Amino acid sequence: MLNSLAVFEEKAAYTDHDRLFKELIQTFFEEFIEGFFPEIYPQINFSSVKFLEQEVFTDIVKGERRKIDILAETSFQGTNQLILIHIEPQSTYQKEFNERMFIYCSRLYEKYRKPILPIAIFSYNDKRSVPAQFTIDVPTQQILKFQYFQIHLIKKNWRNFIRSNNPVAAALLSKMEYTENERVQVKVEFFRMLSRMELDPAKMELLYGFFETYLKLTETEEEQMIERISNLPDQKERESVLRLPNSYFDKGVKQGIEQGKKTGAEAAKQEVAQNLLSLGLSIEQIVEATGLSQETIEQLKDKQA
């Protein structure tokens, strides 16, 4: 697989964001390229991917240190030509981000002298565009033109990805464009996607943890989600989704067990009440003995009549 590179600023506010994206992309690197860059995917030899060590760059002008967390080295299909793939998640809007990408790329090329495929993932909830290129011009001509790939998640419609079995796409539904009224359905579709994938528990937990970080439902929305899943028309799919090991379904099962206990206890009390009625005890005495309501005992007495 390709060595992927995720760059992040050493600021506390970005730590969790960058760690989550780094873990997701490194774990499902081939799936990430296949799902979001299908035109590039056939050209890459994923059997030779090697993740390189972190790189730390110092911006002397701005006085900042930046770290490259994911840098993937691999080759093109059918050749010995090595290539680096640099992926940088960006959680905040930055007007001059294109310049940053150019600096990262130039530093990497200076060290490795290999072709570099630079990719930026914008995960902030802002639709303002950042230039996908950086140029250096003089009055008479253009000296340099640097271009990089962009994935602006908030500009992607989540419905365009729900038919796929791509685990990265499933996780990233949580950062795509959807309305408040679609929140519940987005999570339902996330679970439906997971149910179609044959993933081990650790990878399943990674996807669920990522999604839950960015799209956490309210208690009312959770109930709506469980109801929608319970009403899925395809019984096989419905059972498959409900078998997923997630906290919502676990809670629903626990609630069902507790309800079952209550129902069983109620039935036992009513049986005792019927026996006491047969012995001729008054309704008031039976209420005191069983804890049942007077109305319930009266109904039981009418049935015996």
Side-chain angles (χ1 to χ4, degrees):
M1 296 193 144
L2 299 171
N3 279 329
S4 105
L5 171 151
V7 181
F8 74 94
E9 300 179 17
E10 291 187 343
K11 297 180 181 179
Y14 299 103
T15 302
D16 288 343
H17 167 82
D18 295 323
R19 177 185 60 78
L20 285 168
F21 271 81
K22 175 184 176 181
E23 189 174 7
L24 176 70
I25 293 170
Q26 282 191 326
T27 303
F28 300 102
F29 189 74
E30 181 174 352
E31 293 87 344
F32 169 70
I33 298 296
E34 180 183 22
F36 291 90
F37 300 97
E39 71 285 359
I40 296 173
Y41 177 75
Q43 306 172 31
I44 303 301
N45 179 10
F46 290 96
S47 65
S48 65
V49 172
K50 178 177 67 174
F51 293 101
L52 304 184
E53 295 181 2
Q54 291 184 336
E55 299 284 346
V56 178
F57 298 141
T58 301
D59 188 329
I60 298 175
V61 175
K62 295 186 177 181
E64 296 177 341
R65 296 175 73 246
R66 302 183 188 275
K67 185 186 298 181
I68 292 176
D69 282 344
I70 310 170
L71 182 58
E73 180 186 77
T74 187
S75 61
F76 289 111
Q77 288 284 9
T79 74
N80 293 322
Q81 172 67 64
L82 295 178
I83 179 176
L84 301 179
I85 297 185
H86 159 213
I87 303 171
E88 180 173 356
Q90 180 65 13
S91 61
T92 58
Y93 172 79
Q94 186 179 62
K95 185 178 180 180
E96 298 177 348
F97 180 81
N98 57 334
E99 181 185 50
R100 258 182 64 192
M101 287 296 287
F102 166 68
I103 293 173
Y104 288 140
C105 190
S106 61
R107 296 286 184 85
L108 289 171
Y109 186 77
E110 179 184 22
K111 177 174 181 176
Y112 293 99
R113 291 297 199 275
K114 295 185 179 87
I116 300 168
L117 178 64
I119 300 171
I121 305 175
F122 300 138
S123 61
Y124 46 81
N125 296 327
D126 189 326
K127 289 190 175 183
R128 283 181 292 176
S129 297
V130 176
Q133 59 186 37
F134 176 76
T135 61
I136 297 178
D137 303 313
V138 297
T140 56
Q141 66 185 83
Q142 186 175 82
I143 304 300
L144 177 141
K145 182 178 181 180
F146 164 77
Q147 299 183 80
Y148 64 100
F149 292 95
Q150 295 182 347
I151 301 175
H152 202 155
L153 293 173
I154 196 62
K155 292 184 178 181
K156 293 190 176 294
N157 189 318
W158 62 278
R159 294 183 182 276
N160 295 334
F161 295 87
I162 59 176
R163 300 301 177 194
S164 76
N165 294 333
N166 190 295
V168 181
L172 292 180
L173 289 182
S174 60
K175 294 297 295 178
M176 294 182 186
E177 181 182 28
Y178 50 82
T179 66
E180 282 295 310
N181 292 334
E182 292 176 324
R183 283 165 48 87
V184 173
Q185 192 60 37
V186 171
K187 194 147 193 178
V188 170
E189 296 301 335
F190 166 72
F191 282 133
R192 293 179 73 185
M193 292 176 73
L194 285 191
S195 72
R196 298 196 298 266
M197 303 177 199
E198 296 182 1
L199 300 175
D200 61 55
K203 290 182 177 179
M204 191 78 75
E205 185 177 349
L206 168 61
L207 295 176
Y208 180 75
F210 185 99
F211 190 97
E212 179 76 359
T213 298
Y214 295 109
L215 203 173
K216 189 173 182 63
L217 301 181
T218 65
E219 193 168 316
T220 299
E221 289 173 329
E222 290 173 17
E223 295 172 359
Q224 294 172 358
M225 179 192 71
I226 293 174
E227 181 179 359
R228 292 191 189 187
I229 291 174
S230 300
N231 291 325
L232 288 173
D234 187 299
Q235 181 180 353
K236 185 176 180 181
E237 180 187 32
R238 182 172 65 249
E239 293 175 351
S240 179
V241 173
L242 291 173
R243 281 197 299 268
L244 291 173
N246 66 82
S247 61
Y248 294 128
F249 300 149
D250 289 344
K251 184 168 68 176
V253 169
K254 290 177 182 176
Q255 289 173 342
I257 292 173
E258 290 302 318
Q259 185 60 41
K261 289 180 179 177
K262 291 179 181 178
T263 302
E266 184 77 9
K269 288 180 180 180
Q270 289 187 18
E271 185 176 353
V272 170
Q274 287 175 327
N275 291 333
L276 294 177
L277 284 169
S278 299
L279 293 173
L281 272 70
S282 69
I283 290 178
E284 290 74 16
Q285 289 174 314
I286 298 174
V287 168
E288 186 176 352
T290 63
L292 293 172
S293 68
Q294 181 174 331
E295 181 183 2
T296 299
I297 296 172
E298 288 176 347
Q299 290 174 350
L300 293 173
K301 186 175 181 178
D302 290 340
K303 290 180 180 178
Q304 286 185 341

